[in-house]
Structures are given as C-alpha cells and as structure tokens.
Amino acid sequence: MNSVTPTTPAVRCRGLVKRYDQVVAVNGLDIEVRRGECFGLLGPNGAGKTTTIEIIQGLTPPDQGEVHVLGLTWAKNERELRQRMGTQLQETKLPEKLTVLETITLFRSFYKKGVPAVEVLAKVGLQEKQGAWVNKLSGGQRQRLAVACALVCDPDILFLDEPTTGLDPQSRYQLWEIIQQFQARGGTVVLTTHYMEEAERLCDRVAIVDHGKTIAQGPPQELIATLGAEHVVDFALEGGGPLDETVLLALPGVTGVHTDQMKTRLTVTRPHEAMPALMNLVRDQGATLTELTTHRGTLEDVFIAMTGRHLRDE
Amino acid sequence: MSDESPSALKQLTLWRVREFLREPEAVFWVFAFPVLLAFALGIAFKNRGPDPVSVAVLDGPGAPAIRQALAADPTVVVAVIDSAEARNRLRTGRVSIVVLPGSPVVLRFDSTRAESRLARLVVTNALQEAAGRRDVAELREQRVHEVGSRYIDFLIPGLLGMNIMGTGMWGIGFAVVKARSGKLLKRFLASPMSKSQYLFSHILARLVFLALEVGSVLLFAWLVFRVPVRGSLLALTLVVLLGAMAFSGVGLLVASRSKTVEGVSGLMNLVMVPMWICSGVFFSSANFPDAVQPIIKALPLTALNNAIRGVMIDGSSLVQMLPLLAIVTVWGVLSFGVALKLFRWR
Ligand SMILES: Nc1ncnc2c1ncn2[C@@H]1O[C@H](COP(=O)(O)OP(=O)(O)OP(=O)(O)O)[C@@H](O)[C@H]1O
Ligand SMILES: [Mg+2]
C-alpha cells in the first residue's frame, strides 16, 4: 500500500490555474479537504466551482498547479483513484431508456467492489421507481439517481457538483441526509453549491470561490464570525438619501457600514442597542424609513462584505 | 458489502441492445424499412413480357387479309386506320410501321428507329409466311428467363450492403455523440470503466441485430421473389460480419469528434450519400465513367456490395472474394485506428 496516513488530506490543491481562450476559469486556487469532512465550494455562477471540482477529479487537466487526492496523483494512480471515488457531475444525461435499476447495475459493473444496486436504491429512496425508465423520472428523482450512481461503488470520497440545484426543499433535505449518512460512515465529501444555507448546514468547512480564487476558507461559523458581528441590519430611506457613514459607525453596537445605491447595511453586535439608536438618528434627520430588516449573519453576508456583490442574483 | 462484479462488457452491451429495442422508430428503420423498400422496388421493376410491335394498316380492299396475317403473331398489335391518322401516328411513334395494302404491299417506316426496324422484320416475316414461304434452314428456339439476372437479384444484395452501412454508422455514431453531448461520456470517464469495452460493446450489440437484420431481408427476398443464395451461407455470414465491423469503424470515426447530433448527422450523410449513389446499390456502378472507376471500386460499400452479390448470385467462394474482402478490411482497420486516436470523451 501507499505511505498514506489517516492524516493525509483527502484533497490538496496548490496554485490551480485553468484558462479557456480569453476566460481564466480558475486563477491560482488552493484548497485542502480533510479526511471524513464535508467540504463545500461556495460561489456565484461562473466562479469556477465546476472547473475546480473536475480538475480535482482528473477530468480536466489544469494548466498549472498540483492536485493530490487521498494522497495520490492522477498521473500515477489513476486506476486506483477511479475505483475509490464516486461522482455526480453537473448536467449528466443518464441513458433515457434504461430503468432506474438497470442504470445503477450498469454503473455498478464498472467497479471491483461496491454495494448491491437495490441497497443503493433504498438509500436514496427510489425503490418504488426501480422499474421506471429514466426519461419518466422527475428532476429531483433524476438527481437522486445520479447520486445513487455515485454511491454504488462504496467510495472513499464523493464529489457532488450542485447536487441540490433545482430540487424542492423536501428533496433537498433528503439529499442532505444521504450525504450525512455517507459521512457518518467515514466518507469524505466535496460538493459545490450556491446555496449558503446548504453550505452552513451541511459543510464542516467551506471555501468561498470568486473569479477562480478562494477568497475565504474555513468552518462556516468561523467565516461568519469574521464579519465582526453576528447580526446584519439592512435599511433604506425614502428618496434614497444616504446617512453619513461615520455617524452610523458611531452608533452603539455597530461595527461596520456598507452602502450601495439604495440600501445601507450595518453589521451589528448588539441589535437591542443599535436599533433604537438608528431610529432616533433617522427621526432627527427628518428622514422616513421605507425598509428595515434584520437577520443573523450568513455566508452570503461574508461574501457581500468581501466582494460587495451578492452570491446569487435573485 | 458485496463482491459481485457483473461484467461491464455484458452490462454495456445489454444497455445498447435495450436502448435499441425500446426505440420503436429505430426498429422500424432497421428491420421493416429495407423489406418494404425491397418489396416496392421489386414490384416496380418486375420483368414484363416483350414489348408489343404496333402496326398500322391503311384501310382499303386488302386490309382485312393483311390484318389477319399479322394477327397470327401474338406480339403484334394491329390498327386499321385511314391515311392521315396513320401518318400522324407514325410521326409521333405510336405505331412503328404503316402497311399499305396493294400490289406490291408497301411498308412505310423510319429506318433510323430500332423498334421500326424490328417491326419491319416481324411484319415481313408474317406476310411472307402467310403468302406460303417455306423456311429452308431448320432453327430451334430456347427461351431463357433466368433467376439471378433479374433486377431484384441485383437489388437485394445492394440493399443488404446499404443497410449494413446505415445501421453500422447510425447505430454507433448516433449513440456515441448523444452520450458525448449529454456529458455521459464524461461521467464514464470519471469511473474506472474500460474505454475499449465501451467501444467494443457497441460492436457486439451490432452483431446481435445483424443476424436479424440480414436474415429478415434474405428470407423475404426468397419467399417473395425467389432470390437465391448460391454460395455458402457461411461465406455470406463472414462477408456480412466483416462489412458490419468495417462500417462500425467508419461510424466511430465519423463520431469521434462531433459534439452535437446535428453535426454528426451532416457528416454521416456526407459519407453515406455518395456511396448510395456510386457503390451499386440501385444500379450498377459500371454506369460511371472509366476515369472514376478506380475510386468507386475502392469504396467500402462497392466492395461489400460486390462481395455479397458474388456469394449470393454468382455462388463465388471466399477465396474468389479475397480482393474485395481485403478492401473492406482495410477500411475497417484504418478507420478504427484513426477513430481511437481522434476520439474525444468530452
Ligand atoms: N469548456 C469551456 N470553454 C470555455 N469556457 C469555459 C468552459 N468551461 C467553463 N468555462 C468558463 O469558465 C468560467 C468558470 O466556469 P465554471 O463552470 O467552473 O463555473 P461554476 O462556478 O461551476 O458556475 P455555475 O455555478 O454556473 O455552475 C466561466 O466563466 C465559464 O464561462
Ligand atoms: Mg458549475
């Protein structure tokens, strides 16, 4: 066997670069995924998540940089790695006219070891559909089938590219459960998502990716803590006239101010002190509030604080 | 956990077979269409009896006697008409010759027209015999109407060849490009699936259907038109197998890069349409000028068609077919080799 210890990272990338003609899809990206954790690549559309996860899986050769998976490299250990990883790619069209069971059996046949097809079907909750043709499945069922095909080889590491995009909340929770069960048996998961809620709930650690670079990496709660405050207050004034930033910063409990055209965002440690003070300020200035919301800080807020942009254009 | 490892090649081949059988349209085009085409063309070009000789006799005193003399020959159609009408019909070719009763009888015809010259011989013969001519030399006739030289005998081997080419190229090309455009090939690439097994499974699945596809046309042609297989069935099987493998290779080559089904359809037609026309499917490739014959003879479908025709109609042995089989094999090996080099999985 290899001189791989349990402490060797499951994935280690250094300085990944991938260019497509004019576009730099990945631009000097570093990540490290530990054994047994669920690691999320979080970023907006076009950030380079798919390119990165496909480079890690040895499907796209990087222009620069190095990749180690389970302490092995694609150049030397491709055969072994292919046996040990399971994957679900963004937008794979599985054979339309095979049944669910036939599809899984097909994928099972590629591997030396694995789980019986019916067992995986039960795991993703598709038993009743095992005789149905793939082209008769709903979007969520197809997605679960794709995950089943990834699990059928009983992998050590599982790669999922936007596994829950387009699913209803119920299907999403089901998938989270499947992923957590896999992790509970010691598996490592690398997934991409642009749902920060998913990243916060599911991932032990995340890398926030923007323009092909990791701009932050760590456990979700730690990243949120870097906001310097747990709460976020958004407000807008009639006419959109901004208040002076220095005045806002001087309010009790306010640690940060960010203004874009119409809205102002405050990061706040003690909302019970900051809110009344803000109200007074607005009244003294003779302005009128048209909007006021407050929520606990999220990874989305971290992204906004770091880039000035939203993760998703909603 | 389980150690069962169903063979990937078996599963991949099963996949191909299932996908085909679950597509009713594909089944129609592969199995029913060639039979329907053979039936339609076989009926349309069914050999008829000899063309009749049409003769006009000018109305007048001697006309009934001449008409009677001519009617003794069943291949002659006689019309008794007036002079103006006769002139008109001769000019437009509706009659080949006009007979003017009298003494002597006058035959009016255009000696540059083949059917008119034939009509002159037939009419002369009939009138001389009626007048009591005796033949001096004894001749005996032996009429032949041979199975094996009819149009349907030419057509069926050509249809077989065309079908082998079409299903080989479409069956493989289409499936590969569909898998590539749906990123399924990329998904396979992420698994330890053996690439050569993937490609080989397409060929195996082809062979499953080949027997049915060729057998149905052969059986139909025998039952309906009595088209024979004069050579050995084993020889025919080998020729057909070789042809199917070669066109699988060509199909793979055509599909090795295309990313869209539309793109590969265009390429397929570019490759196949010239061969439908030139390779002697519906009419003999000998109709093309000598200058292009070497090119036409080097085409895989020409060689395959000629080999099938040789075994079925001429009863040739495999040894006699070797040069043709060599051409087919070279195409197969070359296209496979190049296809594997060019093949893109994504
Ligand atoms: N094959 C390709 N050819 C050209 N450009 C590409 C190719 N693949 C990706 N790109 C570009 O690289 C950038 C990163 O793409 P990538 O698919 O990695 O983004 P992503 O983070 O997965 O986005 P999404 O959330 O939409 O899936 C994009 O600008 C994209 O247009
Ligand atoms: Mg993506």
Side-chain angles (χ1 to χ4, degrees):
Chain A
M1 286 305 285
N2 293 279
S3 57
V4 177
T5 64
T7 54
T8 322
V11 177
R12 222 173 75 107
C13 298
R14 285 276 167 275
L16 289 189
V17 175
K18 181 70 187 179
R19 291 183 202 90
Y20 291 110
D21 300 328
Q22 307 297 325
V23 188
V24 186
V26 178
N27 189 9
L29 184 136
D30 302 323
I31 53 174
E32 193 164 307
V33 179
R34 296 173 194 152
R35 294 284 171 119
E37 78 177 353
C38 177
F39 187 89
L41 286 165
L42 180 66
N45 287 139
K49 303 182 296 294
T50 297
T51 310
T52 303
I53 202 169
E54 288 187 358
I55 290 174
I56 298 174
Q57 294 178 81
L59 296 174
T60 304
D63 294 330
Q64 280 169 48
E66 54 179 87
V67 178
H68 290 265
V69 180
L70 304 170
L72 307 172
T73 63
W74 288 109
K76 290 194 201 124
N77 315 93
E78 168 146 17
R79 282 164 151 268
E80 183 187 344
L81 278 174
R82 293 262 169 258
Q83 293 284 351
R84 293 175 63 187
M85 67 171 248
T87 185
Q88 169 257 322
L89 302 176
Q90 198 174 7
E91 293 174 344
T92 300
K93 280 217 186 79
L94 292 170
E96 296 265 293
K97 300 246 160 141
L98 287 188
T99 68
V100 167
L101 187 61
E102 286 163 355
T103 306
I104 300 192
T105 311
L106 174 66
F107 277 92
R108 170 68 186 85
S109 75
F110 301 153
Y111 297 86
K112 284 194 200 129
K113 69 175 176 78
V115 192
V118 273
E119 218 169 273
V120 188
L121 275 183
K123 215 178 274 181
V124 300
L126 279 177
Q127 307 100 305
E128 319 94 88
K129 287 284 172 191
Q130 64 172 349
W133 286 4
V134 171
N135 63 0
K136 299 280 190 311
L137 298 183
S138 73
Q141 290 165 339
R142 279 179 207 225
Q143 198 72 354
R144 274 187 275 160
L145 177 59
V147 174
C149 291
L151 288 173
V152 78
C153 62
D154 190 26
D156 295 333
I157 184 164
L158 185 60
F159 296 97
L160 304 170
D161 196 354
E162 299 200 12
T164 61
T165 297
L167 298 191
D168 59 27
Q170 170 135 11
S171 310
R172 183 170 305 160
Y173 295 140
Q174 279 174 349
L175 250 177
W176 289 1
E177 232 164 75
I178 296 166
I179 293 168
Q180 279 163 344
Q181 279 169 15
F182 174 78
Q183 217 191 334
R185 290 189 297 105
T188 306
V189 183
V190 179
L191 60 81
T192 75
T193 181
H194 41 216
Y195 298 113
M196 51 265 145
E197 191 204 353
E198 179 163 290
E200 281 164 35
R201 292 272 297 273
L202 197 56
C203 297
D204 301 305
R205 292 191 317 124
V206 298
I208 299 181
V209 182
D210 189 38
H211 295 309
K213 281 195 173 114
T214 17
I215 54 175
Q217 191 166 182
Q221 291 317 315
E222 271 179 33
L223 293 183
I224 292 167
T226 62
L227 285 171
E230 276 165 28
H231 296 267
V232 175
V233 176
D234 285 310
F235 68 91
L237 296 178
E238 199 172 73
L243 297 170
D244 189 26
E245 288 203 10
T246 48
V247 179
L248 286 169
L249 259 181
L251 294 175
V254 172
T255 60
V257 181
H258 177 84
T259 328
D260 62 18
Q261 305 99 321
M262 302 298 284
K263 282 193 190 173
T264 304
R265 159 166 290 204
L266 308 178
T267 40
V268 170
T269 45
R270 299 181 305 278
H272 56 282
E273 289 176 19
M275 292 297 273
L278 175 64
M279 294 307 202
N280 288 337
L281 179 67
V282 169
R283 199 179 45 239
D284 294 348
Q285 305 257 329
T288 315
L289 281 171
T290 55
E291 196 182 323
L292 176 68
T293 62
T294 166
H295 63 264
R296 293 180 70 86
T298 65
L299 286 173
E300 167 105 39
D301 301 316
V302 177
F303 186 80
I304 295 168
M306 297 184 78
T307 66
R309 287 179 290 118
H310 286 263
L311 261 175
R312 271 153 64 78
D313 309 309
E314 268 152 319
Chain B
M1 189 154 312
S2 140
D3 272 326
E4 59 161 344
S5 180
S7 125
L9 185 60
K10 180 180 138 202
Q11 287 299 329
L12 285 165
T13 309
L14 270 176
W15 166 38
R16 303 292 348 129
V17 171
R18 284 170 174 149
E19 195 127 300
F20 175 76
L21 290 179
R22 289 169 188 179
E23 196 77 70
E25 284 172 42
V27 174
F28 170 80
W29 287 111
V30 170
F31 293 124
F33 181 69
V35 168
L36 291 178
L37 193 62
F39 187 67
L41 289 173
I43 298 293
F45 293 95
K46 203 167 161 53
N47 291 8
R48 291 177 216 105
D51 285 333
V53 176
S54 50
V55 179
V57 179
L58 275 201
D59 210 357
I66 290 179
R67 177 199 195 130
Q68 200 178 0
L70 291 175
D73 186 333
T75 67
V76 175
V77 177
V78 191
V80 178
I81 48 183
D82 69 29
S83 171
E85 177 66 12
R87 197 179 302 269
N88 187 28
R89 289 202 191 173
L90 184 62
R91 186 170 51 77
T92 55
R94 275 185 291 161
V95 299
S96 304
I97 197 164
V98 179
V99 182
L100 300 90
S103 185
V105 174
V106 175
L107 303 181
R108 184 188 293 155
F109 66 99
D110 179 350
S111 67
T112 63
R113 279 163 49 191
E115 66 271 27
S116 292
R117 291 207 301 273
L118 175 65
R120 188 191 76 103
L121 288 176
V122 170
V123 169
T124 306
N125 201 36
L127 293 181
Q128 293 289 10
E129 272 183 8
R133 185 191 69 187
R134 288 280 157 274
D135 291 334
V136 279
E138 191 188 347
L139 301 173
R140 190 174 297 155
E141 289 185 358
Q142 208 172 45
R143 302 209 172 174
V144 293
H145 187 73
E146 209 180 354
V147 166
S149 60
R150 300 162 305 168
Y151 180 63
I152 191 74
D153 301 309
F154 176 84
L155 181 69
I156 292 296
L159 279 185
L160 284 178
M162 185 180 88
N163 206 26
I164 289 168
M165 171 172 83
T167 47
M169 294 191 54
W170 281 117
I172 294 194
F174 208 71
V176 165
V177 173
K178 217 170 105 190
R180 186 183 291 119
S181 72
K183 311 233 173 110
L184 185 57
L185 285 187
K186 197 199 243 182
R187 176 64 187 81
F188 285 156
L189 200 61
S191 80
M193 181 197 74
S194 139
K195 296 173 193 173
S196 52
Q197 281 191 346
Y198 170 76
L199 299 176
F200 192 49
S201 71
H202 283 79
I203 295 169
L204 277 185
R206 273 288 294 135
L207 298 186
V208 171
F209 297 118
L210 189 66
L212 290 173
E213 174 188 323
V214 171
S216 64
V217 173
L218 279 180
L219 185 69
F220 170 83
W222 167 247
L223 289 179
V224 177
F225 297 110
R226 296 285 153 193
V227 175
V229 179
R230 296 207 169 116
S232 77
L233 273 179
L234 182 68
L236 186 62
T237 308
L238 285 174
V239 169
V240 162
L241 267 181
L242 207 59
M245 306 271 250
F247 280 110
S248 302
V250 178
L252 200 62
L253 177 61
V254 168
S256 59
R257 289 274 167 123
S258 297
K259 288 199 168 146
T260 62
V261 168
E262 291 79 8
V264 82
S265 299
L267 271 181
M268 292 274 182
N269 285 331
L270 186 70
V271 172
M272 292 201 295
V273 171
M275 285 201 267
W276 286 341
I277 297 169
C278 300
S279 291
V281 174
F282 298 105
F283 54 88
S284 168
S285 60
N287 289 329
F288 289 95
D290 287 345
V292 295
Q293 285 298 331
I295 301 174
I296 290 181
K297 288 206 172 106
L299 292 174
L301 186 59
T302 316
L304 179 62
N305 281 346
N306 287 339
I308 298 177
R309 239 167 233 142
V311 174
M312 278 181 68
I313 308 301
D314 304 333
S316 310
S317 70
L318 276 182
V319 179
Q320 290 169 290
M321 298 284 104
L322 271 183
L324 294 174
L325 298 183
I327 293 177
V328 176
T329 310
V330 166
W331 274 100
V333 170
L334 277 186
S335 51
F336 258 115
V338 178
L340 290 182
K341 279 248 180 310
L342 293 182
F343 200 86
R344 284 237 175 103
W345 289 86
R346 30 198 302 137

